[in-house]
Amino acid sequence: MRNRTPLAKESARRWRKPHASAPVVRPCPSTCRGSSIGVAPEPLSLRLGELLRQCSVLHGDETPVAQLDPGCGKTKRVNLWVYRSNALGGDPQIVYVDDQPGRGGKHVVEFLAAEALRRIGELYAIEAEMHGTSSEERARRRKETSLPRLEVLKLWLQQNRKSTADGSALAEAIDYLLHR
């Protein structure tokens, strides 16, 4: 007689099984993050998402799924966005799964924009550290710390612009930053 494992159990078993060398991150809905396991998985999820956004090539796709709506006893439709680094490149192999309420391209743009915002945030943090210092000291520290980061940000934007479709919202945002 064949083993007839229910689909849910089989699916759960496969998620626990390591997939090649690619770490898989599956953020759970905000209502359960860390509540059932006693630890917060968010720092790991955020770090792997950050590493994935730094890869030279990124693949993304979405799949609609039914998810139990806690307290309602019903299911609701959510979209799982899956992002993966390029298997053929030299980047680390990462698979990142993100649940979103819709399937619009804005979720991809938000995911990718997070890296730019992190880099820009570093520049703001440098400025905040210099609050109250003399203008000469600020000019010196900007030259030493901010300028190299700005150059890296510019190169990163130029590299990402090459692989972004013309006319897309992401292309327009990158063009705006590059021409400032």
Side-chain angles (χ1 to χ4, degrees):
M1 178 162 209
R2 287 180 29 196
N3 181 8
R4 296 186 180 213
T5 307
L7 183 59
K9 284 186 178 180
E10 180 64 18
S11 176
R13 183 187 68 75
R14 287 185 182 188
W15 274 112
R16 286 190 297 271
K17 182 180 176 184
H19 295 281
S21 63
V24 176
V25 177
R26 296 177 310 276
C28 61
S30 59
T31 56
C32 72
R33 290 187 192 214
S35 61
S36 61
I37 58 174
V39 296
E42 256 186 82
L44 175 62
S45 172
L46 293 173
R47 179 65 180 139
L48 284 174
E50 184 179 300
L51 288 173
L52 184 61
R53 284 186 288 270
Q54 294 174 7
C55 293
S56 57
V57 177
L58 181 67
H59 304 281
D61 195 15
E62 61 82 29
T63 302
V65 295
Q67 179 185 41
L68 184 62
D69 193 1
C72 295
K74 299 179 183 179
T75 59
K76 63 180 179 179
R77 182 180 167 182
V78 297
N79 291 278
L80 294 180
W81 283 89
V82 180
Y83 303 98
R84 189 183 198 308
S85 57
N86 188 8
L88 302 175
D91 295 325
Q93 297 299 301
I94 302 171
V95 176
Y96 185 91
V97 181
D98 188 21
D99 61 326
Q100 293 293 338
R103 58 185 300 182
K106 68 180 182 177
H107 301 296
V108 177
V109 172
E110 289 169 2
F111 179 78
L112 294 175
E115 178 62 17
L117 293 175
R118 182 190 67 79
R119 292 172 184 243
I120 293 169
E122 289 176 357
L123 295 169
Y124 275 97
I126 292 168
E127 289 294 316
E129 289 172 6
M130 295 187 296
H131 183 73
T133 61
S134 68
S135 59
E136 294 84 16
E137 176 66 14
R138 286 194 306 271
R140 183 187 66 76
R141 289 192 54 197
R142 283 178 183 143
K143 188 175 183 179
E144 289 176 0
T145 57
S146 297
L147 189 58
R149 290 173 193 230
L150 274 172
E151 290 170 353
V152 169
L153 175 60
K154 183 178 181 180
L155 289 173
W156 181 80
L157 288 168
Q158 289 170 337
Q159 178 184 8
N160 281 288
R161 181 58 182 97
K162 290 176 187 174
S163 61
T164 305
D166 290 335
S168 68
L170 184 58
E172 290 177 16
I174 292 173
D175 289 342
Y176 175 82
L177 287 172
L178 286 173
H179 296 105
R180 284 283 169 192

